[in-house]
PDB file of all heavy atoms in Angstrom:
ATOM      1  N   LEU B   1      -1.696   4.311  17.032  1.00  0.00           N
ATOM      2  CA  LEU B   1      -1.680   2.868  16.816  1.00  0.00           C
ATOM      3  C   LEU B   1      -0.800   2.500  15.620  1.00  0.00           C
ATOM      4  O   LEU B   1       0.021   1.579  15.686  1.00  0.00           O
ATOM      5  CB  LEU B   1      -3.096   2.352  16.601  1.00  0.00           C
ATOM      6  CG  LEU B   1      -4.020   2.392  17.818  1.00  0.00           C
ATOM      7  CD1 LEU B   1      -5.452   2.068  17.409  1.00  0.00           C
ATOM      8  CD2 LEU B   1      -3.547   1.423  18.903  1.00  0.00           C
ATOM      9  N   LEU B   2      -0.975   3.216  14.532  1.00  0.00           N
ATOM     10  CA  LEU B   2      -0.186   2.932  13.333  1.00  0.00           C
ATOM     11  C   LEU B   2       1.294   3.201  13.583  1.00  0.00           C
ATOM     12  O   LEU B   2       2.158   2.437  13.133  1.00  0.00           O
ATOM     13  CB  LEU B   2      -0.692   3.771  12.164  1.00  0.00           C
ATOM     14  CG  LEU B   2      -2.089   3.410  11.643  1.00  0.00           C
ATOM     15  CD1 LEU B   2      -2.558   4.440  10.628  1.00  0.00           C
ATOM     16  CD2 LEU B   2      -2.105   2.009  11.036  1.00  0.00           C
ATOM     17  N   ASP B   3       1.590   4.271  14.299  1.00  0.00           N
ATOM     18  CA  ASP B   3       2.979   4.628  14.566  1.00  0.00           C
ATOM     19  C   ASP B   3       3.697   3.586  15.414  1.00  0.00           C
ATOM     20  O   ASP B   3       4.917   3.417  15.313  1.00  0.00           O
ATOM     21  CB  ASP B   3       3.070   5.996  15.250  1.00  0.00           C
ATOM     22  CG  ASP B   3       2.767   7.148  14.308  1.00  0.00           C
ATOM     23  OD1 ASP B   3       2.779   6.920  13.075  1.00  0.00           O
ATOM     24  OD2 ASP B   3       2.503   8.270  14.798  1.00  0.00           O
ATOM     25  N   ARG B   4       2.944   2.880  16.252  1.00  0.00           N
ATOM     26  CA  ARG B   4       3.585   1.866  17.091  1.00  0.00           C
ATOM     27  C   ARG B   4       3.561   0.479  16.445  1.00  0.00           C
ATOM     28  O   ARG B   4       3.996  -0.501  17.037  1.00  0.00           O
ATOM     29  CB  ARG B   4       2.955   1.832  18.478  1.00  0.00           C
ATOM     30  CG  ARG B   4       1.613   1.144  18.582  1.00  0.00           C
ATOM     31  CD  ARG B   4       1.165   1.030  20.043  1.00  0.00           C
ATOM     32  NE  ARG B   4      -0.007   0.158  20.170  1.00  0.00           N
ATOM     33  CZ  ARG B   4      -0.577  -0.153  21.330  1.00  0.00           C
ATOM     34  NH1 ARG B   4      -0.095   0.353  22.459  1.00  0.00           N
ATOM     35  NH2 ARG B   4      -1.630  -0.961  21.372  1.00  0.00           N
ATOM     36  N   GLY B   5       3.018   0.394  15.223  1.00  0.00           N
ATOM     37  CA  GLY B   5       3.071  -0.856  14.485  1.00  0.00           C
ATOM     38  C   GLY B   5       1.826  -1.708  14.512  1.00  0.00           C
ATOM     39  O   GLY B   5       1.841  -2.852  14.039  1.00  0.00           O
ATOM     40  N   ASP B   6       0.717  -1.182  15.034  1.00  0.00           N
ATOM     41  CA  ASP B   6      -0.536  -1.935  15.071  1.00  0.00           C
ATOM     42  C   ASP B   6      -1.293  -1.809  13.755  1.00  0.00           C
ATOM     43  O   ASP B   6      -0.953  -0.991  12.892  1.00  0.00           O
ATOM     44  CB  ASP B   6      -1.418  -1.437  16.222  1.00  0.00           C
ATOM     45  CG  ASP B   6      -0.852  -1.786  17.580  1.00  0.00           C
ATOM     46  OD1 ASP B   6      -0.077  -2.755  17.670  1.00  0.00           O
ATOM     47  OD2 ASP B   6      -1.168  -1.082  18.555  1.00  0.00           O
ATOM     48  N   ARG B   7      -2.350  -2.614  13.619  1.00  0.00           N
ATOM     49  CA  ARG B   7      -3.248  -2.521  12.468  1.00  0.00           C
ATOM     50  C   ARG B   7      -4.527  -1.795  12.872  1.00  0.00           C
ATOM     51  O   ARG B   7      -5.011  -1.963  13.993  1.00  0.00           O
ATOM     52  CB  ARG B   7      -3.614  -3.908  11.937  1.00  0.00           C
ATOM     53  CG  ARG B   7      -2.461  -4.704  11.386  1.00  0.00           C
ATOM     54  CD  ARG B   7      -2.953  -5.951  10.644  1.00  0.00           C
ATOM     55  NE  ARG B   7      -3.718  -6.837  11.503  1.00  0.00           N
ATOM     56  CZ  ARG B   7      -4.301  -7.962  11.086  1.00  0.00           C
ATOM     57  NH1 ARG B   7      -4.209  -8.323   9.810  1.00  0.00           N
ATOM     58  NH2 ARG B   7      -4.978  -8.727  11.925  1.00  0.00           N
ATOM     59  N   VAL B   8      -5.072  -1.020  11.940  1.00  0.00           N
ATOM     60  CA  VAL B   8      -6.310  -0.293  12.188  1.00  0.00           C
ATOM     61  C   VAL B   8      -7.280  -0.519  11.038  1.00  0.00           C
ATOM     62  O   VAL B   8      -6.930  -0.305   9.870  1.00  0.00           O
ATOM     63  CB  VAL B   8      -6.069   1.223  12.362  1.00  0.00           C
ATOM     64  CG1 VAL B   8      -7.405   1.958  12.517  1.00  0.00           C
ATOM     65  CG2 VAL B   8      -5.169   1.503  13.557  1.00  0.00           C
ATOM     66  N   ALA B   9      -8.483  -0.954  11.374  1.00  0.00           N
ATOM     67  CA  ALA B   9      -9.588  -1.000  10.413  1.00  0.00           C
ATOM     68  C   ALA B   9     -10.423   0.245  10.677  1.00  0.00           C
ATOM     69  O   ALA B   9     -11.088   0.343  11.707  1.00  0.00           O
ATOM     70  CB  ALA B   9     -10.418  -2.265  10.595  1.00  0.00           C
ATOM     71  N   ALA B  10     -10.363   1.211   9.783  1.00  0.00           N
ATOM     72  CA  ALA B  10     -11.047   2.490   9.960  1.00  0.00           C
ATOM     73  C   ALA B  10     -12.348   2.487   9.171  1.00  0.00           C
ATOM     74  O   ALA B  10     -12.341   2.340   7.946  1.00  0.00           O
ATOM     75  CB  ALA B  10     -10.152   3.638   9.502  1.00  0.00           C
ATOM     76  N   LEU B  11     -13.462   2.667   9.872  1.00  0.00           N
ATOM     77  CA  LEU B  11     -14.773   2.782   9.229  1.00  0.00           C
ATOM     78  C   LEU B  11     -15.134   4.258   9.199  1.00  0.00           C
ATOM     79  O   LEU B  11     -15.423   4.859  10.241  1.00  0.00           O
ATOM     80  CB  LEU B  11     -15.830   1.988  10.009  1.00  0.00           C
ATOM     81  CG  LEU B  11     -15.970   0.493   9.698  1.00  0.00           C
ATOM     82  CD1 LEU B  11     -14.646  -0.230   9.823  1.00  0.00           C
ATOM     83  CD2 LEU B  11     -17.012  -0.155  10.603  1.00  0.00           C
ATOM     84  N   VAL B  12     -15.110   4.856   8.012  1.00  0.00           N
ATOM     85  CA  VAL B  12     -15.221   6.309   7.901  1.00  0.00           C
ATOM     86  C   VAL B  12     -16.149   6.698   6.758  1.00  0.00           C
ATOM     87  O   VAL B  12     -16.341   5.940   5.808  1.00  0.00           O
ATOM     88  CB  VAL B  12     -13.835   6.953   7.682  1.00  0.00           C
ATOM     89  CG1 VAL B  12     -12.927   6.681   8.870  1.00  0.00           C
ATOM     90  CG2 VAL B  12     -13.186   6.438   6.404  1.00  0.00           C
ATOM     91  N   ARG B  13     -16.693   7.914   6.845  1.00  0.00           N
ATOM     92  CA  ARG B  13     -17.513   8.443   5.754  1.00  0.00           C
ATOM     93  C   ARG B  13     -16.661   9.030   4.652  1.00  0.00           C
ATOM     94  O   ARG B  13     -17.047   9.032   3.486  1.00  0.00           O
ATOM     95  CB  ARG B  13     -18.479   9.514   6.281  1.00  0.00           C
ATOM     96  CG  ARG B  13     -19.632   8.996   7.105  1.00  0.00           C
ATOM     97  CD  ARG B  13     -20.622  10.095   7.435  1.00  0.00           C
ATOM     98  NE  ARG B  13     -20.012  11.175   8.205  1.00  0.00           N
ATOM     99  CZ  ARG B  13     -19.756  12.382   7.733  1.00  0.00           C
ATOM    100  NH1 ARG B  13     -20.031  12.685   6.475  1.00  0.00           N
ATOM    101  NH2 ARG B  13     -19.197  13.303   8.513  1.00  0.00           N
ATOM    102  N   ARG B  14     -15.486   9.567   5.015  1.00  0.00           N
ATOM    103  CA  ARG B  14     -14.630  10.239   4.038  1.00  0.00           C
ATOM    104  C   ARG B  14     -13.245   9.575   4.021  1.00  0.00           C
ATOM    105  O   ARG B  14     -12.323  10.017   4.702  1.00  0.00           O
ATOM    106  CB  ARG B  14     -14.497  11.723   4.399  1.00  0.00           C
ATOM    107  CG  ARG B  14     -15.813  12.494   4.391  1.00  0.00           C
ATOM    108  CD  ARG B  14     -15.630  13.956   4.759  1.00  0.00           C
ATOM    109  NE  ARG B  14     -15.147  14.143   6.118  1.00  0.00           N
ATOM    110  CZ  ARG B  14     -13.907  14.500   6.445  1.00  0.00           C
ATOM    111  NH1 ARG B  14     -12.998  14.711   5.496  1.00  0.00           N
ATOM    112  NH2 ARG B  14     -13.561  14.650   7.718  1.00  0.00           N
ATOM    113  N   PRO B  15     -13.078   8.532   3.228  1.00  0.00           N
ATOM    114  CA  PRO B  15     -11.782   7.848   3.183  1.00  0.00           C
ATOM    115  C   PRO B  15     -10.636   8.766   2.782  1.00  0.00           C
ATOM    116  O   PRO B  15      -9.493   8.563   3.222  1.00  0.00           O
ATOM    117  CB  PRO B  15     -12.003   6.756   2.126  1.00  0.00           C
ATOM    118  CG  PRO B  15     -13.476   6.542   2.107  1.00  0.00           C
ATOM    119  CD  PRO B  15     -14.087   7.879   2.379  1.00  0.00           C
ATOM    120  N   GLU B  16     -10.928   9.785   1.979  1.00  0.00           N
ATOM    121  CA  GLU B  16      -9.867  10.695   1.536  1.00  0.00           C
ATOM    122  C   GLU B  16      -9.215  11.431   2.698  1.00  0.00           C
ATOM    123  O   GLU B  16      -8.074  11.896   2.598  1.00  0.00           O
ATOM    124  CB  GLU B  16     -10.409  11.692   0.516  1.00  0.00           C
ATOM    125  CG  GLU B  16     -11.435  12.685   1.044  1.00  0.00           C
ATOM    126  CD  GLU B  16     -12.865  12.157   1.070  1.00  0.00           C
ATOM    127  OE1 GLU B  16     -13.055  10.948   0.824  1.00  0.00           O
ATOM    128  OE2 GLU B  16     -13.782  12.972   1.334  1.00  0.00           O
ATOM    129  N   ALA B  17      -9.923  11.549   3.823  1.00  0.00           N
ATOM    130  CA  ALA B  17      -9.366  12.243   4.983  1.00  0.00           C
ATOM    131  C   ALA B  17      -8.223  11.459   5.630  1.00  0.00           C
ATOM    132  O   ALA B  17      -7.489  12.000   6.453  1.00  0.00           O
ATOM    133  CB  ALA B  17     -10.459  12.505   6.018  1.00  0.00           C
ATOM    134  N   LEU B  18      -8.076  10.185   5.255  1.00  0.00           N
ATOM    135  CA  LEU B  18      -6.981   9.363   5.786  1.00  0.00           C
ATOM    136  C   LEU B  18      -5.910   9.114   4.738  1.00  0.00           C
ATOM    137  O   LEU B  18      -5.019   8.280   4.937  1.00  0.00           O
ATOM    138  CB  LEU B  18      -7.535   8.025   6.292  1.00  0.00           C
ATOM    139  CG  LEU B  18      -8.519   8.090   7.470  1.00  0.00           C
ATOM    140  CD1 LEU B  18      -8.993   6.690   7.834  1.00  0.00           C
ATOM    141  CD2 LEU B  18      -7.883   8.760   8.674  1.00  0.00           C
ATOM    142  N   GLU B  19      -5.974   9.842   3.639  1.00  0.00           N
ATOM    143  CA  GLU B  19      -5.041   9.615   2.535  1.00  0.00           C
ATOM    144  C   GLU B  19      -3.585   9.777   2.982  1.00  0.00           C
ATOM    145  O   GLU B  19      -2.694   9.054   2.514  1.00  0.00           O
ATOM    146  CB  GLU B  19      -5.337  10.588   1.392  1.00  0.00           C
ATOM    147  CG  GLU B  19      -4.657  10.243   0.079  1.00  0.00           C
ATOM    148  CD  GLU B  19      -5.103   8.908  -0.483  1.00  0.00           C
ATOM    149  OE1 GLU B  19      -6.288   8.542  -0.311  1.00  0.00           O
ATOM    150  OE2 GLU B  19      -4.264   8.227  -1.093  1.00  0.00           O
ATOM    151  N   ASP B  20      -3.339  10.690   3.908  1.00  0.00           N
ATOM    152  CA  ASP B  20      -1.965  10.926   4.345  1.00  0.00           C
ATOM    153  C   ASP B  20      -1.417   9.795   5.208  1.00  0.00           C
ATOM    154  O   ASP B  20      -0.213   9.776   5.520  1.00  0.00           O
ATOM    155  CB  ASP B  20      -1.879  12.245   5.122  1.00  0.00           C
ATOM    156  CG  ASP B  20      -2.769  12.252   6.351  1.00  0.00           C
ATOM    157  OD1 ASP B  20      -3.936  11.830   6.239  1.00  0.00           O
ATOM    158  OD2 ASP B  20      -2.312  12.686   7.423  1.00  0.00           O
ATOM    159  N   LEU B  21      -2.272   8.840   5.583  1.00  0.00           N
ATOM    160  CA  LEU B  21      -1.817   7.714   6.384  1.00  0.00           C
ATOM    161  C   LEU B  21      -1.606   6.459   5.547  1.00  0.00           C
ATOM    162  O   LEU B  21      -1.266   5.393   6.092  1.00  0.00           O
ATOM    163  CB  LEU B  21      -2.831   7.414   7.503  1.00  0.00           C
ATOM    164  CG  LEU B  21      -3.090   8.546   8.514  1.00  0.00           C
ATOM    165  CD1 LEU B  21      -4.086   8.077   9.570  1.00  0.00           C
ATOM    166  CD2 LEU B  21      -1.797   8.997   9.176  1.00  0.00           C
ATOM    167  N   ARG B  22      -1.781   6.568   4.239  1.00  0.00           N
ATOM    168  CA  ARG B  22      -1.653   5.407   3.363  1.00  0.00           C
ATOM    169  C   ARG B  22      -0.248   4.815   3.376  1.00  0.00           C
ATOM    170  O   ARG B  22      -0.031   3.664   2.993  1.00  0.00           O
ATOM    171  CB  ARG B  22      -2.004   5.798   1.925  1.00  0.00           C
ATOM    172  CG  ARG B  22      -3.459   6.178   1.711  1.00  0.00           C
ATOM    173  CD  ARG B  22      -4.350   4.974   1.661  1.00  0.00           C
ATOM    174  NE  ARG B  22      -5.710   5.310   1.236  1.00  0.00           N
ATOM    175  CZ  ARG B  22      -6.682   4.425   1.078  1.00  0.00           C
ATOM    176  NH1 ARG B  22      -6.439   3.154   1.300  1.00  0.00           N
ATOM    177  NH2 ARG B  22      -7.886   4.809   0.701  1.00  0.00           N
ATOM    178  N   GLY B  23       0.722   5.598   3.826  1.00  0.00           N
ATOM    179  CA  GLY B  23       2.097   5.114   3.882  1.00  0.00           C
ATOM    180  C   GLY B  23       2.298   3.946   4.835  1.00  0.00           C
ATOM    181  O   GLY B  23       3.338   3.280   4.808  1.00  0.00           O
ATOM    182  N   HIS B  24       1.308   3.697   5.688  1.00  0.00           N
ATOM    183  CA  HIS B  24       1.406   2.572   6.610  1.00  0.00           C
ATOM    184  C   HIS B  24       1.028   1.252   5.941  1.00  0.00           C
ATOM    185  O   HIS B  24       1.026   0.203   6.602  1.00  0.00           O
ATOM    186  CB  HIS B  24       0.511   2.821   7.822  1.00  0.00           C
ATOM    187  CG  HIS B  24       0.986   3.948   8.690  1.00  0.00           C
ATOM    188  ND1 HIS B  24       2.023   3.817   9.582  1.00  0.00           N
ATOM    189  CD2 HIS B  24       0.575   5.238   8.784  1.00  0.00           C
ATOM    190  CE1 HIS B  24       2.233   4.969  10.208  1.00  0.00           C
ATOM    191  NE2 HIS B  24       1.362   5.845   9.748  1.00  0.00           N
ATOM    192  N   GLY B  25       0.726   1.309   4.655  1.00  0.00           N
ATOM    193  CA  GLY B  25       0.476   0.089   3.888  1.00  0.00           C
ATOM    194  C   GLY B  25      -0.737  -0.677   4.344  1.00  0.00           C
ATOM    195  O   GLY B  25      -1.770  -0.087   4.704  1.00  0.00           O
ATOM    196  N   ASP B  26      -0.586  -2.007   4.354  1.00  0.00           N
ATOM    197  CA  ASP B  26      -1.750  -2.846   4.648  1.00  0.00           C
ATOM    198  C   ASP B  26      -2.087  -2.890   6.137  1.00  0.00           C
ATOM    199  O   ASP B  26      -3.013  -3.592   6.542  1.00  0.00           O
ATOM    200  CB  ASP B  26      -1.547  -4.259   4.106  1.00  0.00           C
ATOM    201  CG  ASP B  26      -0.331  -4.964   4.713  1.00  0.00           C
ATOM    202  OD1 ASP B  26       0.299  -4.393   5.623  1.00  0.00           O
ATOM    203  OD2 ASP B  26      -0.019  -6.088   4.267  1.00  0.00           O
ATOM    204  N   ARG B  27      -1.347  -2.134   6.957  1.00  0.00           N
ATOM    205  CA  ARG B  27      -1.734  -2.037   8.369  1.00  0.00           C
ATOM    206  C   ARG B  27      -2.895  -1.065   8.566  1.00  0.00           C
ATOM    207  O   ARG B  27      -3.463  -0.989   9.657  1.00  0.00           O
ATOM    208  CB  ARG B  27      -0.537  -1.621   9.232  1.00  0.00           C
ATOM    209  CG  ARG B  27       0.478  -2.734   9.400  1.00  0.00           C
ATOM    210  CD  ARG B  27       1.515  -2.459  10.481  1.00  0.00           C
ATOM    211  NE  ARG B  27       2.352  -1.313  10.175  1.00  0.00           N
ATOM    212  CZ  ARG B  27       2.258  -0.133  10.762  1.00  0.00           C
ATOM    213  NH1 ARG B  27       1.330   0.087  11.696  1.00  0.00           N
ATOM    214  NH2 ARG B  27       3.068   0.859  10.433  1.00  0.00           N
TER     215      ARG B  27
END
């Protein structure tokens, strides 16, 4: 979803596991 330009609201227990996706900014 992020790669195609969509926005994602991720509800997660471990936010650090998505740290490598922070480059997508406010999406």
Side-chain angles (χ1 to χ4, degrees):
L1 291 171
L2 292 172
D3 287 344
R4 77 173 190 178
D6 291 336
R7 296 191 300 177
V8 176
L11 275 54
V12 298
R13 287 187 300 109
R14 299 180 296 106
E16 66 276 8
L18 296 179
E19 193 62 34
D20 60 315
L21 299 181
R22 293 283 189 178
H24 292 282
D26 60 5
R27 287 192 296 106

